[in-house]
Amino acid sequence: MKDSTFNPEQQQKDISSKIVAGLERVSEVFKILLWEKAKLVGLSPIQIQILIFVAFHKDNLCNVSHLAKEFNVTKPTISDAIRVLDKKGMIEKDFSSSDNRSYSIRISELGNDIIAQTYNFSTPLKKQVDNLSQPELESLFGTLSQLIFKLHQSGILSVQRTCYSCKFYQKNQESDYCNLLQQELLQQDIRLDCPEYEEKPKG
């Protein structure tokens, strides 16, 4: 119990515990901001997250199986959320794939109206991040991108689309390189959600 990350005494002697406790505080900010928008439009947080994700990602990522992995919830949870969104006329199901049992999700006109009201839920947090200096931003981003990569490697995060695990990524002696873009990547060029991402073969 004494070595808990959330024990203030533990935090005083272990900076890693302080950082983890800090990340937990930041995650609370996301919950608060998302709930505020959810109450405004009469949807649940996961329903808003689905709408925003589908609005900005390719069709092959906008199906029940992938959305369940993306948000680390069960397929029935995603199916229930989609059923409500469909009933409210905010999405459309596209059954044009070769598998008649599966479908991708597209946003309806009404859904786009809801997205216009909710997509910026994280703006209050971004405004605070914008106040950091450029060196601070680059340092923070470098740390976050590596942390996300390591969490994925350890199996805690099931989905990521960052450069470090992409088949096009190459680590040279002193630099990062993208074989798709055919260019060297500066720290700020590393992507966390790349549209062209393809997972690196294992082994």
Side-chain angles (χ1 to χ4, degrees):
M1 291 283 287
K2 286 186 177 181
D3 62 357
S4 168
T5 297
F6 304 103
N7 182 345
E9 292 181 10
Q10 170 68 12
Q11 291 175 20
Q12 283 304 104
K13 61 185 180 182
D14 178 33
I15 193 167
S16 292
S17 293
K18 280 186 180 179
I19 291 169
V20 172
L23 289 171
E24 194 263 347
R25 293 276 181 92
V26 174
S27 75
E28 286 299 316
V29 173
F30 272 93
K31 289 178 189 175
I32 291 165
L33 296 175
L34 195 50
W35 264 113
E36 286 178 356
K37 290 291 186 179
K39 288 184 285 186
L40 186 68
V41 296
L43 294 176
S44 71
I46 188 64
Q47 288 161 2
I48 291 176
Q49 287 177 296
I50 289 171
L51 287 176
I52 293 173
F53 182 88
V54 172
F56 295 109
H57 292 83
K58 294 178 180 178
D59 286 352
N60 66 313
L61 300 179
C62 301
N63 56 64
V64 172
S65 295
H66 183 84
L67 289 168
K69 291 179 183 176
E70 185 73 32
F71 297 112
N72 290 297
V73 296
T74 64
K75 288 182 183 179
T77 297
I78 293 294
S79 294
D80 287 345
I82 289 172
R83 186 161 48 249
V84 173
L85 292 172
D86 188 29
K87 188 175 180 181
K88 293 189 174 189
M90 295 179 187
I91 56 132
E92 298 168 354
K93 295 179 180 178
D94 179 5
F95 290 91
S96 61
S97 71
S98 56
D99 184 354
N100 291 330
R101 295 169 301 172
S102 67
Y103 55 86
S104 58
I105 301 153
R106 293 181 180 169
I107 305 297
S108 68
E109 189 173 338
L110 178 57
N112 278 319
D113 290 341
I114 296 298
I115 291 166
Q117 297 176 57
T118 58
Y119 78 96
N120 61 348
F121 76 90
S122 61
T123 297
L125 178 57
K126 184 180 183 300
K127 283 181 178 177
Q128 298 306 315
V129 175
D130 284 341
N131 289 328
L132 299 174
S133 68
Q134 192 62 29
E136 287 173 326
L137 287 170
E138 291 178 13
S139 176
L140 179 57
F141 177 69
T143 302
L144 281 175
S145 57
Q146 284 291 341
L147 179 59
I148 289 168
F149 174 60
K150 289 174 181 176
L151 287 169
H152 179 259
Q153 279 189 313
S154 67
I156 296 172
L157 276 179
S158 58
V159 174
Q160 68 155 355
R161 287 176 293 280
T162 186
C163 296
Y164 298 126
S165 64
C166 179
K167 77 173 190 178
F168 299 118
Y169 171 79
Q170 180 179 323
K171 179 69 175 176
N172 296 328
Q173 287 183 335
E174 298 294 330
S175 64
D176 302 297
Y177 188 83
C178 177
N179 288 301
L180 178 65
L181 300 177
Q182 297 191 330
Q183 69 178 45
E184 185 176 317
L185 301 171
L186 300 176
Q187 180 63 65
Q188 59 265 34
D189 296 327
I190 297 295
R191 298 178 179 183
L192 294 184
D193 190 358
C194 179
E196 285 79 38
Y197 172 85
E198 291 187 32
E199 189 170 1
K200 187 182 297 180
K202 294 179 181 177

